[in-house]
């Protein structure tokens, strides 16, 4: 807004105030801000404008703004209007007033309210008391506000209200600016809490963020509170400590103050409990040490300050040693000298008794050992107390920072009472990190006190007085560590005196060394009752000894390890005779002689399976014992209702495979394998155990995993898949894999006796399963598998299922063909099966094949039932013997087979097509030769430069590479030089796919004569190019003469299953020096 307009608005408002006609005689309203007129940016503030009851309309104005604000809420019953700002920003600061209107006119303006916004500048100030925030009632104190930002002014606030006039900030250091405020006289009946702010003269309503809050501690006249620390005033570094402050009167607030601090301890850490408060220090450090006081504030004012609490931190420096210069077992009244020594140059040593300061001595240095030491004399005077001592070292410059405490030294008062007994639960062999309880039990009598000592320690490990009227104490170790291992004894003490010491308890920690050991039975974990078994403990770690443990208790003496293989050590333990009426569970450990109570991680638990006399359980697998690889399977073991535990054992394993404790008493257990692999295949037995002992072992379950070897075999029936009821059939299983054995399964998946594989010349292996009796079609389907001798329970994929169809005694149908049994290739063949019986379906099968062709039945006009089987175009594979069967839909049994129908196919069509191909090729060759001769005559007078041309007519799938030329011999030339051109005509099954390859055209020479030779041949179906079609090297001139001028003859390679190929051979005869007549060669007819 234009400053000029602002000034005009201000003058107009002042004029309104001075004009009684405009302002009227209405009383002016009151304006206030809630929670106050000093608001932090981002917070909320509300203006309350209050007028008389006749006020109808309220307006709020801000200096510099032409607009007025409309109330956000109107409280008519209280004659107030509320103007809210939900999110205060810097531009909301300024001077505000309000007015109201009634039926009589407009009121005067309220007094001006100045709204200050803090937090606009982020540079924080620091407020402190000089010299201390502790002040007595009636005195003055100086507060200093310091900032690193060069604000123009600083202002002091008390409980959110302006307390003093602003003071200019002056430079006190190169990077600090400060202002001083005098406060006083202070009174004990109120709280004195201050903050300060900084601002610039250019914007006096925009302040910085608040300084820290400083509260003055006024030492009043009320009764002082009590201060103490838990667990004590001497605290180990890093440990927690709680400072308590307790007052005698109902207290509103507690403050704890540490000497030398510029302000009280943070009040937010104080938690109030009724008439006392606590301040917790979660981790004690050197900064927390010092002298503490506490104050409390009630509705009547401040109390006196408490007594001083001196808080000491220990463990900052290395601990000294506390020794007794004679036997630690003493009698009452004996003077004992304790020596505290260290190699650190501490100025002082301090002795504590039961964690309380006992005495302080200045150190001296021993001339010989160069150690710093101090000697303390103590004198136990009574049986009724304990005498526990520690010593600490510290320096004069920092008397509240001590060294680590020495080991606890407790003086033992020897007695003559009966020694207590000592044991550990769950045992004396405990895994690292686990808990253990040591029980010390004495004689009944007066309330005893028990002390637990560890050998080598100068002080008791722990002591305990049982709360219950019992005669034993329990010492718990929540997490077993290395330092807990050792030999223990316990003592008891009561009003009569001390007892003798107990027998020794050796506590062992396992899992200290991560290298695990392995425990196995040398032959098998299955043993008969009364037998012996040898267990072997093996490790890669170079342990010096091994020990065997049964049910967490030492079972054997230690056995020294011995090397057997590189980096392998082992020991053997003999166990027996075993009994069937208990469980035999073992683990073994390795350790070193130098630390015999620190053992390795335990081996696997090995439980011996004792074949007892109780009734054996039943074992089976669901969904069956024949399982496809990666499928789930569940092994069930069923015993009696009294069974407590079931164990599954896989034959050949060094330990049981699965163990399950019975909980629901349903007399069976299940062991699930979610995804079987070849490792799960094998022979299984199960055992059960109850209160009477072990049962006999169950029968054997053979678990077979199929689909491990890929490449399923092929199963077929000989002579036919159709047999009469009760008839026999031979099944043949063939595979290209070199399996050693084949086995057969039926619909119930029961295994047949495996047959040893026979290897045939094709590289395949096969087995015959002869004379299998088929009672009904329900005997199938059959499948066969292959496997190897070394893994008899790991099988191949299953063959395709083979159905064996049973023919019955019902009337056989008839089978015929309309064209007769002798057919020429290429004809369409349809077989018709018919019967007078109302069969619902017919099936056709061919001798030597396994499958049936099924079709639906149609009823003809003559009342017969028939079905047509369309076999398609006739070729050599169609020929054979056919039968058909009929069946009703309500029965799985087929009728008697029809009489056989022999289909004969006449001579092969391929031969006829080959003849056609030869004829076509011959005429094509004559055509190309004519063109060739014309070209030669046309160029006979030209230069004799060779021209070579190739034309290839490609086979649809392969190209045959031919020799492009025959090199002329450098020897004396024969009378006739014969050169050959080749062309190949291939006749495939279809006559229209004949192809010709012209492989070479020789140099043009008018003196050369030509002829053609066409030959048929047969190619193997699997060969892309036959070597018989490749042109052979022509013999030299001598060989040609020796053979009487015969042309090159190609041999054809034929097999039963072949393609027909006809090729032509084109020869060029060149006369030498006019010595040879070519007519003889021209008269040859190609063969």
């Amino acid at each position: 807004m234009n400053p000029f307009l602002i000034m005009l608005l201000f003058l107009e408002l002042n004029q309104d105030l001075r004009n009684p006609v405009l302002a009227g005689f209405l009383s002016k309203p009151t304006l206030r801000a809630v929670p106050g007129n000093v608001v932090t940016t981002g917070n909320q503030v509300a203006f309350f404008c209050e007028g008389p009851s006749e006020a109808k309309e309220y307006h709020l104005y801000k200096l510099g703004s032409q607009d007025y604000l409309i109330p956000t809420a109107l409280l008519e019953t209280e004659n107030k209007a509320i103007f809210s700002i939900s999110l205060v920003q810097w531009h909301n600061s300024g001077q505000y007033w309000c007015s109201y209107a009634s039926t009589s006119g407009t009121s005067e303006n309220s007094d001006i309210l100045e709204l200050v916004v803090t937090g606009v500048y982020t540079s924080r100030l620091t407020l402190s008391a000089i010299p201390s925030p502790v002040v007595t009632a009636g005195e003055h104190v100086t507060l200093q506000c310091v900032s690193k930002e060069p604000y123009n002014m600083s202002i002091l606030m008390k409980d959110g209200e302006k307390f003093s006039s602003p003071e200019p900030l002056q430079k006190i250091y190169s990077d600090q600016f400060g202002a001083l405020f005098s406060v006083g006289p202070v009174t004990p009946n109120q709280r004195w809490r201050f903050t300060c702010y900084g601002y610039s003269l250019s914007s006096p309503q925009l302040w910085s963020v608040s300084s820290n809050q400083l509260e003055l501690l006024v030492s009043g006249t009320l009764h002082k509170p009590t201060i103490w620390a838990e667990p004590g005033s001497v605290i180990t570094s890093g440990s927690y400590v709680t400072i308590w402050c307790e007052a005698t009167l109902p207290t509103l607030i507690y403050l704890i103050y540490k000497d030398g601090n510029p302000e009280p301890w943070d009040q937010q850490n104080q938690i109030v409990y009724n008439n006392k408060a606590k301040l917790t220090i979660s981790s004690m450090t050197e900064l927390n040490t010092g002298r503490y006081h506490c104050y409390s504030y009630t509705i009547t004012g401040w109390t006196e300050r408490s007594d001083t609490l001196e808080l000491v931190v220990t463990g900052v420096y290395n601990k000294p040693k506390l020794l007794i210069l004679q036997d630690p077992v003493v009698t009452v009244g004996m003077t004992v000298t304790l020596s505290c020594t260290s190699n650190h140059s501490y100025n002082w040593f301090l002795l504590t008794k039961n964690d309380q300061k006992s005495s302080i001595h200045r150190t001296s240095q021993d001339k010989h050992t160069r150690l710093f030491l101090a000697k303390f004399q103590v004198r136990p005077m009574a049986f009724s107390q304990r005498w526990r001592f520690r010593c600490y070292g510290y320096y004069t410059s920092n008397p509240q920072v001590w060294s680590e405490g020495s080991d606890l030294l407790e003086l033992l008062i020897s007695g003559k009472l009966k020694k207590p007994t000592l044991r550990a639960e769950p045992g004396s062999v405990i895994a690292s990190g686990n808990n253990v309880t040591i029980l010390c039990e004495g004689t009944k009598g007066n309330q005893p006190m028990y002390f637990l000592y560890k050998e080598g320690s100068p002080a008791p490990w722990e002591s305990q007085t049982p709360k219950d009227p019992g005669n034993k104490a329990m010492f718990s170790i929540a997490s077993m560590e290395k330092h807990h291992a050792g030999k223990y004894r316990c003592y008891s003490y009561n009003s009569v005196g001390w007892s003798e010491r107990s027998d020794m308890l050796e506590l062992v920690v396992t899992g200290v060394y991560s290298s695990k050991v392995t425990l196995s039975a040398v032959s098998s974990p299955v043993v008969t009752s009364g037998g012996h078994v040898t267990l072997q403990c093996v490790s890669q770690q170079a342990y010096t000894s091994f020990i065997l443990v049964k049910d967490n208790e030492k079972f054997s003496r230690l056995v020294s390890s011995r090397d057997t293989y590189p980096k392998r050590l082992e020991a053997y333990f003999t166990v027996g005779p075993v009994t069937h009426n208990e469980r035999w569970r073992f683990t073994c450990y390795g350790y070193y002689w130098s630390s015999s109570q620190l053992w390795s991680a335990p081996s696997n638990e090995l439980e011996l399976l004792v074949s007892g006399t109780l009734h054996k359980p039943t074992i089976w697998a669901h969904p069956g014992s024949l399982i496809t690889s990666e499928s789930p399977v569940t092994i069930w073991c069923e015993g009696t209702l009294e069974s407590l535990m079931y164990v599954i054992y896989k034959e050949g394993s060094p330990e049981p495979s699965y163990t399950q404790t019975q909980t629901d008493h349903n007399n069976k257990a299940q062991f699930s394998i979610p995804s079987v692999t070849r490792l799960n295949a094998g022979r299984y037995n199960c055992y059960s155990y109850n209160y009477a002992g072990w049962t006999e072992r169950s029968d054997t379950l053979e678990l077979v995993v199929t689909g491990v070897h890929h490449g399923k075999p092929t199963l077929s029936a000989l002579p036919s898949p159709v047999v009469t009821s009760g008839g026999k059939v031979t099944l043949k299983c063939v595979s290209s894999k070199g399996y050693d054995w084949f086995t057969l399964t039926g619909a119930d998946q029961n295994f047949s006796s495996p047959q040893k594989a026979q290897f045939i010349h094709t590289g395949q292996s096969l087995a015959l399963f002869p004379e299998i009796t088929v009672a009904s079609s329900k005997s199938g389907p059959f499948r066969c598998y292959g496997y190897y001798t070394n893994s008899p329970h790991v099988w191949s994929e299953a063959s395709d299922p083979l159905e064996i169809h049973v023919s019955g005694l019902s009337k056989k149908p008839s089978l015929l063909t309309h064209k007769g049994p002798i057919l020429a290739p290429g004809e369409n063949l349809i077989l018709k099966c018919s019967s007078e019986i109302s069969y619902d379906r017919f099936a056709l099968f061919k001798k030597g094949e396994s499958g049936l062709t099924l079709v639906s039945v149609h009823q003809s006009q003559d009342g017969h039932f028939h079905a047509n089987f369309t076999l398609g175009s006739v070729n050599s594979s169609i020929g054979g013997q056919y039968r058909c069967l009929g069946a009703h839909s309500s029965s799985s049994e087929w009728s008697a087979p029809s009489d056989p129908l022999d289909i004969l196919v006449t001579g092969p069509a391929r031969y006829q097509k080959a003849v056609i191909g030869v004829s076509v090729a011959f005429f094509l060759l004559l055509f190309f030769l004519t063109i060739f001769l014309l070209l030669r005559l046309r160029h006979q007078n030209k230069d004799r430069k060779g021209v070579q041309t190739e034309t290839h007519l490609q086979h649809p799938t392969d190209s045959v590479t031919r020799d492009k030329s025959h090199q002329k011999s450098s020897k004396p030339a024969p009378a006739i030089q014969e050169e050959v051109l080749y062309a190949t005509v291939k006749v495939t099954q279809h006559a229209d796919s004949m192809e010709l390859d012209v492989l070479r055209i020789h140099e043009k020479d008018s003196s050369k004569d030509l002829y053609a030779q066409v030959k048929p041949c047969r190619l193997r179906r699997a060969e892309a190019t036959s070597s018989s079609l490749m042109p052979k090297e022509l013999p030299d001139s001598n060989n040609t003469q020796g053979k009487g001028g015969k042309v090159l003859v190609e041999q054809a390679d034929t097999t039963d299953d072949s393609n027909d190929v006809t090729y032509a051979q084109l020869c060029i005869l060149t006369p030498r020096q006019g010595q040879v007549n070519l007519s003889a060669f021209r008269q040859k007819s190609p063969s």
Side-chain angles (χ1 to χ4, degrees), residues 223-234:
H223 188 271
K224 64 183 178 182
T226 303
I227 189 171
W228 75 96
E230 286 183 356
S233 60
V234 179

Side-chain angles (χ1 to χ4, degrees), residues 18 598 716 1047:
R18 293 190 297 271
L598 302 179
S716 59
V1047 297

